[in-house]
Amino acid sequence: MADSKSNAYGTNTSDTSFRKTWDKAEYTEKARAREAQEREEGKARYEAKLQGKKYYKSSDTTTAKQTESRANRLNVAANVGKTMLVPAGVAAVGKRGRGAGFYCADCDLTFKDNIQLVDHLNSKQHLTNVGESGEVGRATLEEVRARLEYLKQKREEDRKELNLVDLQERIKRREDEEETKREEKRRKRREKRRKTEGGVGHNVEEDEESGIIC
Amino acid sequence: MAHQADARRMLDDRGYTGQTIHDTNPAHLLEKAVRDRIIDSYYWKEQCFGINEATLCDRAVDMTFIGGTYGQQKPTPFLCLMLKLLQLLPPREIVLEYLHQREFKYLTALAAFYVRLTFSSVDVYKTLEPLLEDYRKLRRRTKDGGYALVYLDQFVDDLLTKERVCGTSLRKLPARQVLEDLDQLEERVSPLSEELEGLDDSDDNERNGTTNGHDEESDSG
Ligand SMILES: [Zn+2]
């Protein structure tokens, strides 16, 4: 990036020194955390040995990503309206394998209703399986403002789309109305022609397309 | 600093060690029966899991009514999000951002309720009184499941004067006069009273009675 350019936030991006310091600080922090973890593990292993037990490393939480809000509503409606035969005995929570009910593909478990499914999706067991820590990052004021701005724009776009649909519907309705009118005209013309043919017999030519009588 | 996606820690009555508000676990600012209804609700489990101060806005802007519980004691999303806020305890600046943004009125209402529950008495008056000039319309879910119309200023007035709002007993708020006498609050000069005085001076009586477009009657359950 060229020097003396400012970014969208109006802050100067040419000076990247802050970044280096931050990276270094982050690195140091990570190294410290790792050392601490290793110490902790060593201690746990030692204590387990004292008690004559085997030490099992707990699931790795340092690489787990933070848990985020659901982007969509759970798609449980996909099962609505389908007849599902739930065999007796399935009522138990979390039956292994794919069965009739609500299925979690990550854990290969089937649940009998959406409440049990969502309870499961929120559970430590599921989060561990999908590599999430169950911790949620805090948002700053700037992130809140950005979110609100995004939601505002989204709402405006939704409104525009609604208006557009509305407009298209109105155009369609108008066209339908005009078509009905034209149809009515044609009908009357045909009626008139029939009368003249059976009557005096002077010739009437008609242009169907334009509706002009020559 | 992160917070837990679930609220087990907050809801653990025996071992709560987190931040307190008014010397209590913030979750306890809602009544136990209501709290239990909330954490059992599908909305709480599906929509309130894993959200933070920013993504809470996604839910807040989808709200279409305020209220407590309705029907078979079903808690409104309004109450569910309140419990989430009491778990998140956002910093003051974020609460004020929720309160003062102008696009989403239900977010403003939610923040006003939160301010009433968590701020100090003087701060409640100072923060909420300006909203007594906010005449935006809200829908309120009534106990029987119906809807009632309430204006934002009415809702805020309820928060300042009533003991129960939205299925929640409110902490006692000293009368404004008491805090004025203690020199903790300045006398409130509402733009409305200025306007009314202005009306007395002017000969134009036609506008009389139009300054407060709706009457006072409301019924928050
Ligand atoms: Zn799962």
Side-chain angles (χ1 to χ4, degrees), chain B residues 176-192:
Chain B
R176 195 175 206 297
Q177 189 61 51
V178 174
L179 296 173
E180 279 176 26
D181 292 345
L182 290 168
D183 283 334
Q184 291 183 338
L185 269 183
E186 301 279 317
E187 201 179 321
R188 178 174 142 82
V189 188
S190 88
L192 189 65

Side-chain angles (χ1 to χ4, degrees), chain B residues 16 21 57 98 140 148 161 166 177-178 181 197 204:
Chain B
Y16 182 77
I21 300 271
C57 297
Y98 291 159
R140 187 172 62 80
T161 55
C166 292
Q177 189 61 51
V178 174
D181 292 345
E197 274 166 33
D204 178 16

Side-chain angles (χ1 to χ4, degrees), chain B residues 43-203:
Chain B
Y43 183 88
W44 170 261
K45 290 173 179 181
E46 190 205 43
Q47 297 287 297
C48 299
F49 184 83
I51 59 178
N52 68 9
E53 297 85 343
T55 42
L56 179 133
C57 297
D58 297 22
R59 310 292 186 247
V61 306
D62 281 342
M63 277 194 284
T64 53
F65 51 86
I66 62 169
T69 57
Y70 63 96
Q72 305 277 28
Q73 301 284 299
K74 190 181 156 117
T76 56
F78 185 78
L79 268 190
C80 295
L81 291 175
M82 181 51 57
L83 184 61
K84 196 69 200 181
L85 279 178
L86 292 169
Q87 185 194 356
L88 291 172
L89 300 177
R92 184 186 174 87
E93 50 182 17
I94 288 181
V95 176
L96 297 182
E97 180 69 26
Y98 291 159
L99 193 72
H100 296 308
Q101 52 77 34
R102 287 294 300 172
E103 187 69 17
F104 305 106
K105 55 191 179 181
Y106 287 98
L107 180 56
T108 300
L110 183 73
F113 193 30
Y114 181 81
V115 166
R116 175 64 177 87
L117 290 183
T118 61
F119 281 21
S120 76
S121 301
V122 172
D123 218 3
V124 166
Y125 281 109
K126 283 185 179 164
T127 311
L128 293 188
E129 277 176 344
L131 291 170
L132 292 171
E133 277 109 56
D134 192 328
Y135 307 126
R136 283 180 288 176
K137 284 178 190 174
L138 301 170
R139 294 202 303 165
R140 187 172 62 80
R141 204 80 203 245
T142 53
K143 271 207 177 78
D144 58 11
Y147 293 97
L149 173 68
V150 59
Y151 292 80
L152 198 70
D153 65 311
Q154 278 179 331
F155 177 61
V156 169
D157 191 61
D158 287 349
L159 289 175
L160 295 176
T161 55
K162 292 199 170 173
E163 286 173 4
R164 265 186 85 76
V165 173
C166 292
T168 307
S169 308
L170 301 174
R171 202 172 65 97
K172 188 151 177 51
L173 195 65
R176 195 175 206 297
Q177 189 61 51
V178 174
L179 296 173
E180 279 176 26
D181 292 345
L182 290 168
D183 283 334
Q184 291 183 338
L185 269 183
E186 301 279 317
E187 201 179 321
R188 178 174 142 82
V189 188
S190 88
L192 189 65
S193 61
E194 274 175 13
E195 216 171 308
L196 287 172
E197 274 166 33
L199 279 176
D200 289 344
D201 296 341
S202 87
D203 295 326

Side-chain angles (χ1 to χ4, degrees), chain A residues 104-109 111 120-121 123 125-127 129-130:
Chain A
C104 173
D106 294 308
C107 308
D108 191 33
L109 289 172
F111 300 88
H120 163 74
L121 294 177
S123 72
Q125 180 201 12
H126 173 82
L127 294 175
N129 271 353
V130 297

Side-chain angles (χ1 to χ4, degrees), chain A residues 66-74 76 114-115 118-119 121-124 127 133-141 143-145 147-148 150-152 155-156 159, chain B residues 1-6 8-9 40 42-47 49-55 57-59 61 87-91 93-94 97-98 101 103-104 107:
Chain A
Q66 289 190 322
T67 299
E68 288 177 354
S69 78
R70 273 183 242 291
N72 297 304
R73 306 225 44 172
L74 292 175
V76 290
N114 59 338
I115 302 274
V118 79
D119 277 337
L121 294 177
N122 293 349
S123 72
K124 194 85 202 161
L127 294 175
S133 64
E135 293 201 326
V136 182
R138 307 219 67 133
T140 62
L141 176 62
E143 285 168 317
V144 170
R145 284 195 174 135
R147 196 74 201 160
L148 285 168
Y150 159 78
L151 290 166
K152 187 177 158 188
R155 179 180 272 195
E156 276 161 16
R159 254 182 217 149
Chain B
M1 203 191 75
H3 80 275
Q4 294 297 309
D6 64 29
R8 210 171 308 143
R9 210 177 281 172
D40 275 343
Y42 190 69
Y43 183 88
W44 170 261
K45 290 173 179 181
E46 190 205 43
Q47 297 287 297
F49 184 83
I51 59 178
N52 68 9
E53 297 85 343
T55 42
C57 297
D58 297 22
R59 310 292 186 247
V61 306
Q87 185 194 356
L88 291 172
L89 300 177
E93 50 182 17
I94 288 181
E97 180 69 26
Y98 291 159
Q101 52 77 34
E103 187 69 17
F104 305 106
L107 180 56

